[in-house]
Amino acid sequence: MKVYNTLTRQKEEFVPIEEGKVKMYVCGPTVYDYIHIGNARPYVVFDTVRRYLEYKGYEVTYVQNFTDVDDKIINRANKENSTMQEISNRYIQEAFHDADGLNVKRATIHPRVTEEMDLIIEMVKDLVDKGFAYEDKGTVYYNTKKFPEYGKLSRKNLDELIAGGSERVSVDDAKKNPTDFVLWKPKKEGEPSWTSPWGEGRPGWHIECSVMAKHHLGERIDIHAGGEDLVFPHHENEIAQSEACNGCQFAKYWLHNGFITVDNEKMSKSLGNFFTVRDIAAQFPYEVIRFFILNGHYRSPINFSRDLMQACQNGLERIKNARKELDFYIQNAVDSKMTDEEKAQTADLMKYKDQFEAAMDDDFNTADAISVIYELVRFSNIAVKAGVSKEYAVKIQDMLDHLCVVLGVAEVSEDSISDEETDKIEALIAKRTEAKKAKDFAAADAIRDELAAMGITIKDTRQGVQWFRG
């Protein structure tokens, strides 16, 4: 399995630090509002990376943080006459709601910055004691000149940054170097604060993830991931902090997802093309949003539009309909074992699994993996029409389920229907069939609507009436 490492700018064979185990850290959202479609991409992408690693047999410890102390949270709390804790708690729950809708598995650990404050202060103090940081009037800065490898992730030259300046580097007369960044800042009126050796204050943004990764995963981790926008300065600064403090390589592999544009323009509130996941979920099911995100390679930019979402919804329905056709066929087919010809074709069926894994082994190429699933769907539809044995149909169904679960798409609902409910549904279907025979189409349509209100979809086929929930 090869992964593209932002640090080396090339694909590398994935070899974890400890055999059979993967330690993975993904930067989470700042919780002051609903997550937007840009936040959703790393949620879905790296959840899928985790799923595939687990599919390959690795034991994955997956950490994704919540930044619950930040200027934006404080500003919102002041605007709503609330508290930072109330705002962050509310939007953490909203983030979980959207993540659950996107079928994102909960992280092994979801740390919060406010719960790590003692360790943050401890790491800042350690950096000061080791000469990598300095204090000025209650503000502690990281001295980038003290870390010779600063810029190795983003490939930014430190001297060029200092000479030319950068929109991502703030100007501050108290800094020794323009690229130095804040580790700890003094309290302002009306802001929450914590006691530190440098006075009352709170941490800078970058130190948080260094501390949480070390606390929950150790000094060295296998994968650190996040959006492309975090490469500089956030992840660059994390490397500088962690490696200066711990004296060893911080993360072995750095993975970054590309940007999402909206109708081929950068997403921006000022342009009126800023969409939260909740906004989109009001028009398209969450599972379609996930499927849309996975239809592009995670490192490539993808464009969000209504037309593309509709296309993804249609594609997802193709997969789900094939699964339902298989389910109906298996439920109604006479028990039969595979023929000799079908046994010989089993190898052809396994080729889909091999092709799927080849795509995912090539830097988690979900777009190509989905193409393989489409090919399997086509194969399945032909097989069902040809009247394959029940045993072979089950094998096709198992293969389709097997691949879809890895991507977290088109998964079979575990909602069970009681025998009583089943009897009622089948009685209504029988009544509808009689109405159609009597050419009472108004009554037949009314029964269809009644079934739809129960969440039941029906489909007329040559074999009879197929019904399913959803």
Side-chain angles (χ1 to χ4, degrees):
M1 180 170 68
K2 290 186 179 294
V3 301
Y4 183 85
N5 191 349
T6 307
L7 187 65
T8 61
R9 296 295 197 276
Q10 62 185 7
K11 290 181 184 178
E12 300 176 7
E13 194 68 31
F14 180 72
V15 181
I17 297 165
E18 184 178 353
E19 187 177 352
K21 297 184 178 181
V22 176
K23 294 183 287 185
M24 185 171 178
Y25 187 93
V26 179
C27 287
T30 300
V31 283
Y32 69 98
D33 206 340
Y34 297 103
I35 64 171
H36 54 72
I37 186 63
N39 299 135
R41 193 173 192 190
Y43 260 97
V44 169
V45 161
F46 299 118
D47 171 72
T48 307
V49 169
R50 173 198 187 174
R51 284 169 176 262
Y52 189 64
L53 290 170
E54 291 175 338
Y55 168 83
K56 297 283 280 188
Y58 291 104
E59 179 187 328
V60 181
T61 305
Y62 189 93
V63 177
Q64 186 172 38
N65 73 295
F66 288 115
T67 295
D68 61 345
V69 52
D70 181 87
D71 288 343
K72 292 176 181 178
I73 303 173
I74 294 167
N75 291 341
R76 180 144 200 164
N78 291 338
K79 183 179 179 181
E80 297 185 9
N81 195 27
S82 183
T83 67
M84 185 182 73
Q85 184 179 31
E86 288 172 344
I87 295 296
S88 59
N89 284 344
R90 182 202 311 169
Y91 287 108
I92 284 172
Q93 292 310 308
E94 298 294 356
F96 277 137
H97 176 88
D98 287 330
D100 291 345
L102 292 167
N103 200 19
V104 172
K105 296 169 64 176
R106 296 290 173 97
T108 312
I109 306 160
H110 280 288
R112 303 185 187 194
V113 175
T114 54
E115 296 171 348
E116 309 276 332
M117 207 57 67
D118 289 345
L119 294 175
I120 289 173
I121 292 168
E122 183 181 313
M123 181 176 277
V124 174
K125 186 175 184 304
D126 195 29
L127 288 168
V128 172
D129 292 344
K130 289 178 176 177
F132 288 96
Y134 57 94
E135 184 261 346
D136 183 272
K137 298 177 182 177
T139 300
V140 182
Y141 299 93
Y142 186 97
N143 189 339
T144 53
K145 281 285 192 178
K146 294 289 186 177
F147 189 71
E149 293 185 289
Y150 190 78
K152 66 179 178 178
L153 180 70
S154 59
R155 302 293 176 94
K156 293 183 181 293
N157 181 281
L158 184 57
D159 291 333
E160 289 177 0
L161 282 174
I162 293 172
S166 167
E167 62 180 11
R168 304 300 296 274
V169 176
S170 62
V171 177
D172 187 335
D173 291 339
K175 293 180 179 181
K176 291 182 179 180
N177 312 291
T179 51
D180 292 353
F181 56 90
V182 173
L183 299 174
W184 188 265
K185 49 191 173 184
K187 176 183 179 180
K188 292 181 181 177
E189 189 64 33
E191 291 187 351
S193 63
W194 289 261
T195 302
S196 79
W198 317 283
E200 292 290 315
R202 58 187 174 95
W205 175 37
H206 312 297
I207 193 69
E208 302 165 359
C209 289
S210 285
V211 169
M212 288 184 280
K214 180 178 180 179
H215 179 197
H216 299 288
L217 296 172
E219 293 182 349
R220 293 188 67 204
I221 66 176
D222 296 290
I223 297 173
H224 196 310
E228 183 182 346
D229 58 314
L230 298 181
V231 174
F232 185 84
H234 185 53
H235 287 168
E236 192 72 72
N237 291 350
E238 279 190 65
I239 289 175
Q241 295 162 163
S242 297
E243 297 189 0
C245 182
N246 303 327
C248 60
Q249 183 186 43
F250 175 35
K252 192 172 181 181
Y253 304 95
W254 288 85
L255 276 59
H256 294 94
N257 64 270
F259 292 115
I260 292 183
T261 57
V262 177
D263 293 324
N264 295 308
E265 289 189 298
K266 184 178 179 181
M267 187 170 68
S268 167
K269 288 183 177 179
S270 62
L271 293 174
N273 65 353
F274 181 91
F275 297 104
T276 67
V277 173
R278 199 68 57 87
D279 292 333
I280 300 166
Q283 302 178 52
F284 294 95
Y286 278 103
E287 62 180 349
V288 175
I289 302 173
R290 183 183 182 101
F291 193 63
F292 158 74
I293 289 170
L294 295 180
N295 262 271
H297 188 280
Y298 79 92
R299 284 192 288 113
S300 300
I302 56 174
N303 182 53
F304 173 85
S305 72
R306 173 175 286 279
D307 288 345
L308 288 171
M309 287 293 291
Q310 187 61 59
C312 285
Q313 184 166 23
N314 295 340
L316 186 59
E317 283 303 312
R318 274 181 59 199
I319 299 171
K320 294 172 71 176
N321 286 338
R323 176 61 174 74
K324 290 166 184 173
E325 292 281 1
L326 276 167
D327 195 47
F328 178 78
Y329 184 83
I330 291 165
Q331 287 179 16
N332 292 277
V334 175
D335 276 337
S336 53
K337 298 296 182 183
M338 284 192 293
T339 64
D340 291 340
E341 184 181 357
E342 288 170 346
K343 288 177 182 177
Q345 290 175 347
T346 302
D348 290 335
L349 183 59
M350 291 302 294
K351 76 180 181 182
Y352 295 107
K353 177 175 177 288
D354 294 339
Q355 291 171 357
F356 178 91
E357 290 182 0
M360 293 297 287
D361 282 343
D362 184 16
D363 194 32
F364 311 105
N365 193 332
T366 56
D368 283 357
I370 288 172
S371 295
V372 175
I373 291 176
Y374 282 143
E375 290 296 321
L376 177 55
V377 163
R378 187 176 296 111
F379 177 87
S380 171
N381 290 338
I382 293 170
V384 168
K385 287 178 182 177
V388 294
S389 68
K390 185 171 184 175
E391 183 181 12
Y392 196 50
V394 169
K395 281 191 172 293
I396 297 171
Q397 185 186 69
D398 287 346
M399 181 63 71
L400 185 57
D401 290 348
H402 185 72
L403 302 185
C404 286
V405 165
V406 177
L407 299 184
V409 299
E411 293 187 11
V412 181
S413 173
E414 296 186 7
D415 292 343
S416 59
I417 300 178
S418 67
D419 291 341
E420 183 181 351
E421 191 176 5
T422 299
D423 290 342
K424 181 179 179 181
I425 292 166
E426 292 182 348
L428 285 169
I429 288 172
K431 188 176 177 182
R432 174 179 173 271
T433 301
E434 290 302 317
K436 289 182 72 176
K437 284 180 180 178
K439 296 187 178 181
D440 187 353
F441 298 114
D445 289 344
I447 293 169
R448 177 186 285 272
D449 292 342
E450 185 178 351
L451 287 163
M454 296 167 60
I456 301 301
T457 300
I458 58 175
K459 181 177 181 181
D460 293 306
T461 70
R462 290 181 181 178
Q463 293 84 10
V465 180
Q466 177 184 358
W467 65 268
F468 47 85
R469 174 167 281 166

